[in-house]
Amino acid sequence: MAIQKHISLVLQLVIVALVFNRANGSSLKLGFYQNTCPGAEAIVMKTTANYIYQSPSLAASLLRLHFHDCFVRGCDGSVLLNSTTSNQAEKDAPPNLSLKGFEVIDAAKAAVEATCPRVVSCADILALVARDAIHLINGPFWPVPLGRRDGRVSIALESRSLPSPFANITTLKANFASKGLNVKDLVVLSGAHTVGVSHCSTIATRLYNFTGQGDTDPSLDPKYVPLLKSICLPNDKNTTLAMDPGSSQSFDEDYYKVVLKKRGLFQSDAALLNDKLASLYVKLYPSLMGTNSLKIFKIRWLKWVKLGF
């Protein structure tokens, strides 16, 4: 049952991620490189494993890297491009300065290039690495349609469209709606916060100066605040803490239970309870996991693949 729960959650994340691939047209398909580079996926998996076994926490970073790529211009690898003297790229935009895992993508690309030069796109490698990284920390394995084309345009200002951890529910819904995503998609993708850590600086305002009066965010469980303050002192920019305490390296549904307890780390987590529909999904999500929901979401996923997403 635990495995089914994990698969159901990831399938939903994959379903939503496929929406971001519209720019790639109908070229996405399973086994895209079967003839041109048949060993590509195995090479990427092996390279990713070399990194994840040494540093399991990288899995969450790689999933986040893939999400940040997809939310701007679709899953085209544009977040991997470097800035030039005449252009500041996405990588150097404020929301992306804390991204990690670029070295894994570079290593996987180099390994693939050594076997199949100029065949496999960086965008596809990023999608595979994110999937493989989650699988390597005992998460599920899901099929990744391939055939993405690498983007050649990367503009830092466009990264403003990325959902902010400080956003309220109105802003979050607008962010996702601009990508053709609904409230359910917002809740599903927020579930990715079940893995990984964040810096104390991200929650400093919630703990010490929420309204500018030296107060604490009232949406936080008051019994949880003392613990957070003991970990995150004022002006602490270096300490990290788990986004899903006790389960930060397990890709599961515990995140929603944390949110319901009003212990979500970010303002954007707490914001999910400020919308009737979003709150309903947060409450129902764990109980909906299982065989039936797995079949439903698999059907949706296959439908979107057929449409070329």
Side-chain angles (χ1 to χ4, degrees):
M1 180 61 72
I3 292 176
Q4 290 178 337
K5 289 180 178 180
H6 293 173
I7 292 175
S8 185
L9 173 56
V10 175
L11 276 175
Q12 291 183 68
L13 291 170
V14 174
I15 288 168
V16 178
L18 287 171
V19 174
F20 297 129
N21 285 301
R22 296 178 182 181
N24 289 290
S26 60
S27 61
L28 295 186
K29 66 179 182 179
L30 297 175
F32 183 84
Y33 298 108
Q34 184 173 353
N35 296 322
T36 56
C37 190
E41 294 193 44
I43 293 171
V44 172
M45 171 64 87
K46 181 179 180 180
T47 304
T48 305
N50 290 337
Y51 282 89
I52 298 301
Y53 289 153
Q54 295 181 45
S55 180
S57 63
L58 264 177
S61 299
L62 290 164
L63 185 64
R64 180 172 180 245
L65 180 60
H66 184 38
F67 175 77
H68 278 226
D69 177 45
C70 292
F71 213 85
V72 181
R73 291 184 171 269
C75 307
D76 65 348
S78 56
V79 75
L80 305 174
L81 298 177
N82 293 321
S83 296
T84 65
T85 55
S86 59
N87 177 67
Q88 186 180 44
E90 293 170 36
K91 182 188 292 187
D92 294 317
N96 293 331
L97 294 178
S98 59
L99 290 178
K100 297 179 181 179
F102 292 102
E103 70 278 11
V104 184
I105 310 303
D106 291 340
K109 175 64 172 176
V112 171
E113 284 294 301
T115 301
C116 311
R118 303 176 65 84
V119 173
V120 183
S121 69
C122 291
D124 275 343
I125 288 176
L126 176 52
L128 288 170
V129 167
R131 184 271 309 274
D132 293 345
I134 293 299
H135 179 60
L136 288 164
I137 59 169
N138 297 319
F141 185 90
W142 64 89
V144 176
L146 301 172
R148 296 165 186 78
R149 300 180 181 88
D150 285 333
R152 298 182 180 276
V153 177
S154 183
I155 302 172
L157 287 177
E158 293 184 350
S159 295
R160 290 180 176 178
S161 65
L162 283 163
S164 167
F166 310 105
N168 58 34
I169 190 63
T170 300
T171 300
L172 288 171
K173 288 168 66 175
N175 284 152
F176 278 72
S178 70
K179 304 299 178 182
L181 303 175
N182 59 30
V183 172
K184 184 173 184 179
D185 300 324
L186 165 60
V187 175
V188 169
L189 282 179
S190 294
H193 290 170
T194 189
V195 289
V197 300
S198 185
H199 286 86
C200 286
S201 55
T202 309
I203 65 166
T205 299
R206 295 192 79 193
L207 294 179
Y208 295 104
N209 198 28
F210 188 64
T211 65
Q213 302 297 319
D215 55 344
T216 301
D217 184 352
S219 67
L220 264 174
D221 175 6
K223 296 181 180 179
Y224 190 44
V225 172
L227 175 61
L228 291 177
K229 286 187 173 181
S230 70
I231 299 172
C232 298
L233 300 177
N235 303 314
D236 183 348
K237 297 181 180 180
N238 299 314
T239 304
T240 60
L241 65 169
M243 291 190 287
D244 185 356
S247 184
S248 62
Q249 291 192 26
S250 298
F251 207 90
D252 53 33
E253 76 283 0
D254 285 356
Y255 161 80
Y256 300 101
K257 299 175 183 178
V258 170
V259 172
L260 287 173
K261 293 178 181 178
K262 297 185 177 181
R263 295 189 172 192
L265 204 57
F266 304 142
Q267 289 171 241
S268 60
D269 295 324
L272 298 180
L273 300 180
N274 295 330
D275 178 87
K276 289 185 178 180
L277 185 56
S279 179
L280 178 63
Y281 284 132
V282 171
K283 293 175 182 176
L284 294 179
Y285 193 85
S287 63
L288 289 176
M289 298 279 199
T291 304
N292 289 332
S293 64
L294 175 59
K295 291 179 179 178
I296 292 171
F297 293 124
K298 183 177 289 187
I299 290 172
R300 289 180 62 193
W301 175 72
L302 290 172
K303 177 181 178 182
W304 277 344
V305 170
K306 185 177 181 180
L307 290 173
F309 297 159

